[in-house]
């Protein structure tokens, strides 16, 4: 059984920072690519970023690459998303996704690749 639990969301003002966490209960955590995907109000899910199992490579959505940073602590089975200089366009429900079967490559920017998901955490940025 794979479970992902996100936390760290909240209501902030434009320009503020938040750090999201996702803890994964899975024996394959250390082999998994871990992604953050978000769903803005009334819109489809969209890829935010993904980090490989060794934390040596990442992909980011263009609109966040200079503001968001992924990291992971394999000893704690946790992946983090540090979000700086937030804007109202970042308002969304943020989901953590995991996969260990697809390898590593730019196809991981497709959120539909991920087999396992958490329930999400809401991030709301006011102007």
């Amino acid at each position: 059984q794979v479970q992902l639990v996100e936390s760290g969301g909240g209501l902030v003002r434009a320009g503020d920072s938040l750090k999201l966490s996702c803890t994964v209960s899975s024996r394959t955590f250390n082999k998994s690519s871990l992604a953050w995907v978000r769903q803005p109000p009334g819109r489809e899910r969209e890829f935010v970023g993904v980090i490989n199992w060794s934390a040596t490579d990442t992909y980011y959505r263009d609109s966040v690459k200079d503001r968001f940073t992924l990291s992971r602590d394999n000893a704690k089975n946790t992946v983090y998303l540090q979000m700086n200089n937030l804007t109202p366009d970042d308002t969304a429900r943020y989901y953590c996704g995991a996969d260990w079967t697809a390898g590593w490559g730019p196809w991981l920017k497709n959120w539909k690749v991920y087999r396992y998901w958490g329930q999400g955490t809401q991030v709301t940025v006011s102007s």
Side-chain angles (χ1 to χ4, degrees), residues 30-99:
N30 288 354
K31 302 177 184 178
S32 301
S33 298
L34 297 170
W36 287 93
V37 168
R38 66 189 182 187
Q39 186 163 16
R43 293 166 54 183
E44 291 189 350
R45 290 192 182 190
E46 57 187 33
F47 170 80
V48 175
V50 60
I51 187 167
N52 69 347
W53 69 272
S54 59
T56 55
D57 204 358
T58 54
Y59 293 112
Y60 291 99
R61 181 180 190 81
D62 286 347
S63 63
V64 309
K65 63 175 53 178
D66 294 328
R67 301 182 295 121
F68 291 9
T69 303
L70 282 160
S71 61
R72 64 190 290 168
D73 184 338
N74 286 352
K76 297 181 178 180
N77 278 25
T78 301
V79 62
Y80 305 98
L81 180 66
Q82 176 67 46
M83 306 186 294
N84 297 329
N85 195 21
L86 286 160
T87 75
D89 287 341
D90 297 315
T91 294
R93 190 162 187 86
Y94 284 70
Y95 298 88
C96 178
D99 185 83

Side-chain angles (χ1 to χ4, degrees), residues 33 99-105 107-108 113-115:
S33 298
D99 185 83
W100 52 88
T101 64
W104 180 256
W107 54 86
L108 291 171
V113 166
Y114 301 92
R115 301 174 63 188

